[in-house]
Amino acid sequence: MVFDKIRSGKRAQKALGLLSGLVFGFLLQKGGLTEYDVILGQLLLTDFTVVKVMLSAILVGMVGVFVMRWKGLVRLQIKPGSIGSTALGGIIFGVGFAILGYCPGTAAAAFGAGAIDALVGMIGMVIGAGIFARLYPVLDRLILNWGAFHADTLPELIGLKPEIVAAVTAVLILGLLYLLAAQGL
Amino acid sequence: MIEWLTAASWSPYLVGAGIGVLIWTAFLLSDRHLGCSTAYSKTAGMIELAISRQKTVSMPYYRKIPATIDWQWMLVVGTIIGSALSEYLSGSWRVSMIPPLFEQSFGADEHLRQAVALAGGILMGLGARWADGCTSGHGISGTLQLSLASWIAVICFFAAGIIAAGLIYGFSFL
């Protein structure tokens, strides 16, 4: 593939990671997602900035990724899930999300913007990730594989072609964004 | 162009579209999706390595996710710098200790906020690795690939987050 050389270059990848991060952090700050009040506002359902940013990113990202895959330029990076891993982990994450008020990406951006509590949150995340690594052998044996999902993707689950599900998802996202704007949220 | 870069904020739709395009480049140039939480595991692994090399290399999780500096780790470094740059260009960079909403409800005790942030961070780091992704990895990159696990993860993130935030500050819709 045309991009194999750059994909396998270790130094090129580190530089690309840094560059991607620069753009990501810049965008998060300009979007107001470096602010605790904006993130808590979303969880309290009084400020819909986070949902607007996420839905727009999903919409634009989805169209590009599916077109590139159709052209044979990229492959999807799908992770399998289970009740024990995805749902349980997701609930623990969500509680932490409300208590910290930043997520792993926005905490880094908020720290860059000068928020000391975000730095403390990042230290907490390293500790939490470290605890998980220690518990991993036990969790993997007892909980993580419990209730494994029978499908990896929504198209597999529903039994429709990925392109059709992507198109329907795009229309639903546009509708949702329109509704939010129409409600003045 | 300059006014654009120094603006205090951009439209959330524009910011989202920009993140979407950034994900195209991650897929195309790096054969990756865009996720942040792996970097925290790698950092934990680096600390464990510094303490005990032998023990750490034998831990199954660090064999799965090696504690190395790579694209994902540099992504988080870049995120810190990019946000600092954006805030600096808008002329609003400053050190802040307590978010306004937190101060309104719980007072101006910096140590209280830090203790809460540390506890929240620990839960979040644990949960992100448990669910194998975060708001960027599952919430944006995974959902846009129509991954079932990612849609379930993001529903759990927000459902638990909305309930927990409501318990802390009161439910605005009740």
Side-chain angles (χ1 to χ4, degrees):
Chain A
M1 206 183 274
V2 199
F3 299 100
D4 278 350
K5 203 171 167 208
I6 189 163
R7 284 176 183 176
S8 58
K10 280 199 167 158
R11 286 173 74 182
Q13 286 305 317
K14 280 183 206 171
L16 274 171
L18 184 69
L19 196 65
S20 302
L22 281 171
V23 176
F24 191 48
F26 202 93
L27 288 167
L28 289 175
Q29 200 284 324
K30 289 292 182 223
L33 301 190
T34 49
E35 286 172 46
Y36 171 96
D37 288 31
V38 170
I39 292 173
L40 256 296
Q42 180 62 68
L43 296 178
L44 295 168
L45 306 176
T46 52
D47 178 335
F48 281 76
T49 308
V50 175
V51 163
K52 284 178 192 167
V53 169
M54 286 181 73
L55 288 178
S56 310
I58 294 169
L59 180 65
V60 171
M62 184 172 66
V63 172
V65 166
F66 273 89
V67 168
M68 287 190 294
R69 191 179 76 136
W70 179 53
K71 293 271 177 196
L73 293 172
V74 302
R75 53 177 190 156
L76 297 187
Q77 320 269 341
I78 306 249
K79 299 171 179 176
S82 68
I83 306 271
S85 158
T86 315
L88 209 56
I91 290 167
I92 299 171
F93 182 95
V95 174
F97 193 22
I99 295 174
L100 175 58
Y102 309 103
C103 58
T106 53
F111 168 50
I116 301 302
D117 60 331
L119 172 65
V120 176
M122 289 175 82
I123 295 168
M125 281 186 249
V126 171
I127 298 171
I131 294 173
F132 181 81
R134 294 272 179 138
L135 296 178
Y136 178 70
V138 179
L139 291 175
D140 192 44
R141 203 170 63 236
L142 298 177
I143 301 175
L144 296 180
N145 301 303
W146 179 70
F149 301 147
H150 297 303
D152 284 344
T153 66
L154 294 178
E156 270 174 53
L157 183 76
I158 309 168
L160 286 172
K161 279 188 177 175
E163 292 75 13
I164 294 172
V165 181
V168 172
T169 308
V171 172
L172 288 176
I173 288 175
L174 281 171
L176 209 55
L177 286 173
Y178 174 79
L179 270 179
L180 283 174
Q183 293 291 317
L185 289 168
Chain B
M1 181 73 184
I2 291 293
E3 290 103 60
W4 201 52
L5 290 176
T6 56
S9 67
W10 294 351
S11 144
Y13 309 111
L14 185 70
V15 168
I19 295 172
V21 172
L22 193 61
I23 291 171
W24 302 353
T25 66
F27 271 90
L28 195 60
L29 302 177
S30 305
D31 192 23
R32 285 175 183 285
H33 73 285
L34 191 119
C36 290
S37 66
T38 314
Y40 293 87
S41 278
K42 288 177 178 284
T43 308
M46 286 174 210
I47 295 167
E48 294 260 27
L49 273 177
I51 297 167
S52 166
R53 174 150 214 106
Q54 238 177 344
K55 191 165 170 246
T56 309
V57 289
S58 71
M59 281 170 75
Y61 199 67
Y62 296 121
R63 264 185 265 155
K64 192 176 158 209
I65 296 179
T68 47
I69 293 178
D70 64 351
W71 187 93
Q72 289 193 293
W73 202 81
M74 292 307 287
L75 178 78
V76 174
V77 175
T79 304
I80 299 172
I81 303 169
S83 167
L85 187 69
S86 168
E87 190 88 54
Y88 177 77
L89 286 174
S90 357
S92 51
W93 196 94
R94 64 184 182 88
V95 171
S96 61
M97 302 305 287
I98 307 183
L101 178 67
F102 188 90
E103 188 170 343
Q104 258 173 39
S105 298
F106 301 105
D109 184 350
E110 289 169 10
H111 297 301
L112 174 68
R113 172 56 193 151
Q114 283 160 9
V116 169
L118 187 70
I122 292 173
L123 272 180
M124 174 167 267
L126 185 67
R129 295 294 82 215
W130 198 305
D132 203 10
C134 63
T135 1
S136 47
H138 271 317
I140 299 175
S141 293
T143 52
L144 70 83
Q145 299 178 71
L146 307 174
S147 152
L148 176 63
S150 295
W151 279 97
I152 291 179
V154 76
I155 290 167
C156 292
F157 294 166
F158 279 93
I162 287 167
I163 292 169
L167 292 173
I168 297 169
Y169 286 106
F171 293 95
S172 67
F173 47 88
L174 290 182

